[in-house]
Amino acid sequence: QVQPVESGGGLVQAGGSLRLSCAASGSISRINFMAWYRQAPGKQREAVAGITSNGNTNYADFVKGRFTISRDNAKNTVYLQMNSLEPEDTAVYFCNVLDLVLGTLWGQGTQVTVSS
């Protein structure tokens, strides 16, 4: 496979937690940056969190302190631990991979629904 594959989405109550996973193909040495985006119904896709090959992270203000992005280079995967989920977090979450050879790669997305 070429496209990254997300998993871990689902339905959770407000205040609950989910852990998203994204498995990327190809050589990890070509993947410089991995990130999570999300898109809620009727809204534009927005960046959630990103992590470099060095482990440097950045977060959107609306998830700071609640979400944690991490990366396992041995498994060629990126994770998004989501705690204290709110109904406003409901969206399709997409994995984004910057492959230095293939360019930007997007997963098909995984649905996260947070009930009030």
Side-chain angles (χ1 to χ4, degrees):
Q1 67 180 21
V2 176
Q3 301 298 313
V5 180
E6 306 98 333
S7 63
L11 175 64
V12 65
Q13 297 181 22
S17 300
L18 286 173
R19 190 191 190 207
L20 306 183
S21 300
C22 173
S25 61
S27 175
I28 191 65
S29 65
R30 289 155 40 189
I31 302 175
N32 188 58
F33 184 76
M34 305 179 77
W36 288 97
Y37 287 70
R38 71 184 187 185
Q39 187 167 20
K43 301 189 67 176
Q44 295 182 342
R45 188 173 299 183
E46 60 185 356
V48 176
I51 185 168
T52 69
S53 60
N54 305 112
N56 294 322
T57 60
N58 58 79
Y59 297 92
D61 289 340
F62 53 81
V63 302
K64 183 70 174 181
R66 300 188 297 122
F67 293 6
T68 302
I69 188 171
S70 61
R71 181 172 179 168
D72 187 336
N73 289 337
K75 297 181 178 180
N76 209 18
T77 58
V78 62
Y79 305 94
L80 185 67
Q81 178 66 48
M82 304 185 295
N83 299 325
S84 301
L85 283 164
E86 305 169 353
E88 292 75 19
D89 296 316
T90 296
V92 177
Y93 284 71
F94 297 90
C95 178
N96 172 258
V97 176
L98 177 58
D99 187 300
L100 296 179
V101 175
L102 299 178
T104 300
L105 304 175
W106 291 94
Q108 292 183 321
T110 183
Q111 177 70 49
V112 172
T113 302
V114 184
S115 62
S116 59

